[in-house]
Amino acid sequence: QVQLVESGGGLVQAGGSLRLSCAASGIIFSINAMGWYRQAPGKQRELVAAIASDGTTNYAEHVKGRFTISRDNSKNTVYLQMNSLKPEDTAVYYCNALSYSSSPGSWGQGTQVTVSS
C-alpha cells in the first residue's frame, strides 16, 4: 500500500519561494513516475509537475519556468522547488505516483501553500 507524506508548505509572500518534499513508501519508488498535484478551494485537483523514472520532467504551462521537480531515489523522496510564487498558487499540494493517482486511498494529507499578495 502506497504511503505518501508531504511537507514544506507554509505562508509566503508573492515572489517568494518554498521547497516541498514528499516521502514515499510501499512502492518501488525508483521505477515509478511521480507527480506533484494541487487543489485550490472549489477547484479540481490538477497535476502541476511530473518526473519520470529516468528524470524526464514535465510541467503545467502556468508553472513552467517557476517550479522545478526533482527526485532522490536513494531517499524515496520527490521535491518541488517553487519560485516566484503567485497568489494563484495557493492550494493544498499533494504528491503521488502517476500510476496510483486514480486510487482514492493512495493520497496523503497534502501540505498547504498560501501565497499572500
Side-chain angles (χ1 to χ4, degrees):
Q1 180 180 354
V2 60
Q3 292 185 324
L4 302 154
V5 180
E6 300 94 344
S7 62
L11 173 63
V12 64
Q13 288 188 332
S17 299
L18 284 173
R19 188 191 193 210
L20 307 183
S21 299
C22 171
S25 60
I27 60 172
I28 304 174
F29 182 83
S30 61
I31 67 171
N32 273 276
M34 298 296 296
W36 278 100
Y37 303 73
R38 70 186 184 189
Q39 187 167 20
K43 295 187 177 181
Q44 288 194 335
R45 188 176 292 163
E46 62 170 345
L47 178 65
V48 295
I51 184 165
S53 57
D54 66 357
T56 303
T57 58
N58 281 287
Y59 299 92
E61 198 61 37
H62 47 282
V63 306
K64 201 172 290 186
R66 299 189 297 122
F67 290 11
T68 302
I69 188 171
S70 61
R71 64 190 299 159
D72 185 339
N73 289 341
S74 69
K75 297 181 179 180
N76 286 7
T77 299
V78 61
Y79 304 96
L80 186 67
Q81 177 67 44
M82 305 187 295
N83 298 328
S84 302
L85 283 162
K86 304 175 181 181
E88 51 264 44
D89 294 319
T90 295
V92 179
Y93 284 71
Y94 303 87
C95 74
N96 208 340
L98 268 60
S99 61
Y100 286 81
S101 60
S102 61
S103 302
S106 68
W107 296 90
Q109 82 288 350
T111 187
Q112 175 72 48
V113 171
T114 303
V115 184
S116 63
S117 57

